[in-house]
Amino acid sequence: GHRYFLAFNAFAIVLLLHVTSLFTSNKQKTTILLVTLSTLLAGNFLYYPGKNLGDATIAYREYFAAIALLKNDVDKTTPLYSHAPIANPSFLTNLQQIQPEINRINDSDLDALPAIVQSNVNAEFSVAQQRYLTQKWYGKTYGDGIVYVNLFLNPKFHTKPTNWHLREPSAVEKLMLKLKARAGK
């Protein structure tokens, strides 16, 4: 599950071991197996408002290859903006200084930024911000396995590039976004 649930998970394991010690041996083994598997699966599919696969999957999802592809398509002088983890300093992410850095959006007005990098490993983009970027800005998707990275260019700073298109969300993603928007009300 999510890294913030570590203390709760530790307590739940101790409680589970205590409760299952009261069961008979076959029941105990079956219960432990079912709870362990359901915890792993539930943690892998955990999706709640404001979060995404970067926070909740069993395996760490790498976005570096998609970012490398993206940087080939953008002018080196154009500053890029995003949220964590993509906007983490490169000396922390890559253990070296890489240029150009991807700057943090923080509380900046999106309209004032020339280029934004958004991905399914970014947790801080709201549904409204994602909708705004996909409808008003020029976008292109770079994929690497299940991880995708979108580059959005602000029309105030850039002309429309040719042959740019965004990936179409799957039916499951659309359902999750609908549930996320409903939960945010």
Side-chain angles (χ1 to χ4, degrees), residues 53-163:
L53 72 80
D55 279 342
T57 54
I58 294 171
Y60 177 75
R61 301 300 182 185
E62 184 205 310
Y63 56 88
F64 305 116
I67 291 291
L69 292 172
L70 172 151
K71 287 186 177 180
N72 291 332
D73 276 357
V74 71
D75 180 5
K76 304 278 188 245
T77 62
T78 300
L80 301 173
Y81 291 85
S82 191
H83 289 294
I86 291 174
N88 287 345
S90 63
F91 69 88
L92 294 176
T93 305
N94 302 296
L95 302 179
Q96 61 180 328
Q97 194 69 31
I98 302 224
Q99 296 298 328
E101 284 281 348
I102 298 178
N103 306 299
R104 285 189 184 264
I105 291 175
N106 296 330
D107 294 327
S108 302
D109 179 23
L110 294 185
D111 251 357
L113 304 175
I116 291 178
V117 179
Q118 180 269 331
S119 173
N120 58 341
V121 297
N122 286 115
E124 287 82 7
F125 285 96
S126 69
V127 173
Q129 287 174 326
Q130 290 180 40
R131 188 178 304 118
Y132 174 76
L133 290 170
T134 57
Q135 292 174 354
K136 305 286 184 186
W137 289 38
Y138 309 129
K140 183 175 181 182
T141 301
Y142 304 83
D144 184 40
I146 66 165
V147 175
Y148 67 86
V149 175
N150 293 323
L151 172 62
F152 291 101
L153 299 179
N154 189 336
K156 292 180 180 179
F157 298 91
H158 303 279
T159 58
K160 185 172 184 172
T162 56
N163 298 325

